[in-house]
Amino acid sequence: MNEYVLMAYYKKYLKEIRKVSDSTVKHYQDALKYISQYLVKKGKLRQTVYEVQDIGELEVIKAYLYSEQEFIELDKRGHQMYSAGFNHYYKFASGEGFSNIRRQIEMMDIEVPIPGKNIGNVENWKRSSIIKMQSIESAGYQCEISPKHTTFTSKSSGHQYMEGHHALPMKYQDKFEKSLDVYANIICLCPICHRLLHYGVASEKENVLDKIYYDRSKRLAVSGIKVSRSEFESLAI
C-alpha cells in the first residue's frame, strides 16, 4: 500500500478539511473502488486509481472513462454516482481549492510508509507530482521564503510560476523510516530560491534553511520525520 498515500490523504482531506460525514466518505470511496475495478478489468490500472501519481496520467484516465459507452451507461444506471465520485477525487488531486486551505493543510500530516524505487539506469525513490502540485497550490503560488519574490505567469496554471522542493532531499530516504514525499516536506519556492538550495554556497543558504526548519520541523515530526536542526542542515545544505 506504500504507493497509495493519496488514498490516505484524500480521506483526511474529506474528513479534516471538508468536514464530510463518514457515510459520504464511504460513498466516495465505494465509487472510486468500483471505478478502479472497472479500469483494472480494462487493463488501464494495476489495482486502484490511487496508484496514479501524475495529474496528466489521471487526466488520461478521466478522458478514457468518459468516452467509454459501457461506463457511461453504468454511470447513468447508478444515477451518476460513479462520475460524481471520480470528479470529487480529480478536483482533490488537481489541487482545486488548496489555495484556500493554506493554514489547514498541516491537519492532513500523517506518517507515510516509504515508497518503492523507480529502477532505470539510476535508482530513484518514487515521488508524486500530484502531491508536489497540491503543495504549490496550498501555498497560494507564493514563495515560502518570501512572498515578495515574484516571477512570470505560468502557461499551465495561470498563476505565477513556482516550483516544489523537497526540504529533505529524496536521495536521503534511506536515512528515515517514513516517506519524505509528503506535504510536510515539500515547500513552494520561486526558481531563484530553489536554485540557491541546490547550487548555492553554504553561507548563502543558512538563513533560508533556518526559516524552512523553523516553519516545518513540527510538521515533519508529525509525519514521522524527526530531525535535529544540525542534521537538517547537513542533509539539506
Side-chain angles (χ1 to χ4, degrees):
M1 291 294 289
N2 289 359
E3 67 265 45
Y4 305 149
V5 59
L6 285 170
M7 179 170 65
Y9 273 148
Y10 185 45
K11 185 175 181 179
K12 289 279 285 185
Y13 171 77
L14 291 173
K15 292 177 68 66
E16 304 293 339
I17 307 299
R18 292 278 309 280
K19 305 298 183 183
V20 171
S21 67
D22 289 341
S23 61
T24 301
V25 172
K26 185 178 185 303
H27 178 79
Y28 289 163
Q29 290 181 320
D30 286 346
L32 288 173
K33 182 179 180 181
Y34 178 86
I35 288 173
S36 295
Q37 292 171 343
Y38 178 86
L39 291 168
V40 168
K41 183 177 69 174
K42 296 293 184 178
K44 300 299 180 181
L45 295 175
R46 290 183 292 107
Q47 289 182 305
T48 173
V49 70
Y50 297 113
E51 73 196 40
V52 180
Q53 298 290 307
D54 179 80
I55 193 64
E57 293 178 13
L58 193 61
E59 288 171 353
V60 170
I61 291 293
K62 181 180 180 182
Y64 173 80
L65 272 178
Y66 294 172
S67 67
E68 277 285 288
Q69 192 59 39
E70 181 182 352
F71 176 77
I72 292 171
E73 292 174 359
L74 287 170
D75 189 45
K76 185 176 180 180
R77 291 198 296 272
H79 303 287
Q80 284 73 50
M81 65 174 289
Y82 303 121
S83 58
F86 186 88
N87 288 340
H88 280 293
Y89 177 69
Y90 178 81
K91 289 178 181 179
F92 159 79
S94 63
E96 184 175 320
F98 268 56
S99 59
N100 298 322
I101 64 169
R102 184 172 186 175
R103 301 188 185 282
Q104 296 174 285
I105 194 168
E106 62 187 69
M107 296 168 63
M108 295 166 60
D109 289 338
I110 53 174
E111 295 185 4
V112 176
I114 295 174
K117 287 184 177 180
N118 292 314
I119 308 298
N121 293 331
V122 178
E123 289 189 354
N124 292 307
W125 289 100
K126 290 180 180 178
R127 60 197 71 194
S128 171
S129 65
I130 287 177
I131 292 175
K132 181 176 287 188
M133 181 184 62
Q134 291 170 328
S135 298
I136 294 173
E137 182 77 27
S138 71
Y141 293 87
Q142 291 186 332
C143 179
E144 294 188 70
I145 302 306
S146 173
K148 294 181 180 179
H149 296 173
T150 59
T151 66
F152 55 91
T153 302
S154 168
K155 181 170 63 176
S156 62
S157 71
H159 297 277
Q160 71 168 343
Y161 179 77
M162 288 287 157
E163 298 174 344
H165 171 74
H166 287 85
L168 289 166
M170 290 294 295
K171 65 182 178 181
Y172 296 122
Q173 180 63 80
D174 283 326
K175 296 180 179 293
F176 297 90
E177 295 181 355
K178 299 299 179 180
S179 176
L180 295 179
D181 193 34
V182 292
Y183 293 138
N185 192 44
I186 300 176
I187 56 177
C188 177
L189 298 176
C190 70
I192 297 299
C193 287
H194 196 185
R195 297 303 182 273
L196 167 65
L197 291 179
H198 280 291
Y199 307 116
V201 296
S203 61
E204 294 183 10
K205 295 181 183 181
E206 289 178 1
N207 288 340
V208 173
L209 291 175
D210 278 340
K211 176 172 175 52
I212 294 173
Y213 185 76
Y214 175 80
D215 289 344
R216 294 300 180 100
S217 58
K218 290 183 179 179
R219 290 187 59 191
L220 288 169
V222 170
S223 301
I225 306 167
K226 297 178 174 63
V227 58
S228 68
R229 173 65 183 86
S230 59
E231 184 181 10
F232 177 82
E233 181 174 309
S234 68
L235 297 177
I237 207 164

